[in-house]
Amino acid sequence: MAGEALYYGTGRRKNAVARVRLVPGTGKVTINGRDALAYFGRQALVNYALTPFKVTDTTDHFDVIATLNGGGISGQAGALRHGISRALLAAGDYRGELKKAGYLTRDSRMVERKKYGLKKARKRPQFSKR
């Protein structure tokens, strides 16, 4: 392991944070010490998180070691995608493709806060005329 190239990236989405390490390898993905499919429980989320590799044609060039915390599985998959994209910036000259695909932008959409007098952020109590 001595002298091997390591690339780091931090991704965020909603309340999820992904700390990502890219190591040159065969495309193995480990999240919190578990296999990606075992962690997410569905292939669609794994595919979504790994799209930066497809865009940059580096599908089996790197092993991903990630630490995810906060949020739910969808937000965590988004955070992982963002983290992988940022780590790929350090790994090579992929900025153009990643930026064009929109993977370098932090998705700023967050849950709107609940307001007093309402049941949720915008849902009002039922109106009664009489």
Side-chain angles (χ1 to χ4, degrees), residues 1-5:
M1 194 85 183
E4 259 202 273

Side-chain angles (χ1 to χ4, degrees), residues 10-14 48 78-79 81-83 85-86 89 95 98-109:
T10 308
R12 293 189 178 85
R13 168 87 170 88
K14 293 184 173 184
Y48 175 78
R81 184 176 87 163
H82 191 219
S85 302
R86 281 187 168 178
L89 279 187
R95 186 168 186 86
L98 289 170
K99 199 160 172 60
K100 191 167 180 286
Y103 294 163
L104 298 177
T105 309
R106 167 25 170 135
D107 192 342
S108 61
R109 294 176 295 171

Side-chain angles (χ1 to χ4, degrees), residues 34-49:
R34 292 157 65 190
D35 178 60
L37 190 58
Y39 184 83
F40 283 124
R42 59 184 74 161
Q43 190 63 47
L45 289 173
V46 177
N47 294 346
Y48 175 78

Side-chain angles (χ1 to χ4, degrees), residues 43-62:
Q43 190 63 47
L45 289 173
V46 177
N47 294 346
Y48 175 78
L50 300 181
T51 46
F53 291 127
K54 291 183 182 70
V55 169
T56 56
D57 291 326
T58 53
T59 307
D60 293 326
H61 293 42
F62 297 101

Side-chain angles (χ1 to χ4, degrees), residues 69-96:
N69 49 33
I73 56 170
S74 174
Q76 286 187 349
L80 182 58
R81 184 176 87 163
H82 191 219
I84 289 170
S85 302
R86 281 187 168 178
L88 278 170
L89 279 187
D93 187 30
Y94 304 120
R95 186 168 186 86

Side-chain angles (χ1 to χ4, degrees), residues 17 20 41 90:
V17 180
V20 180

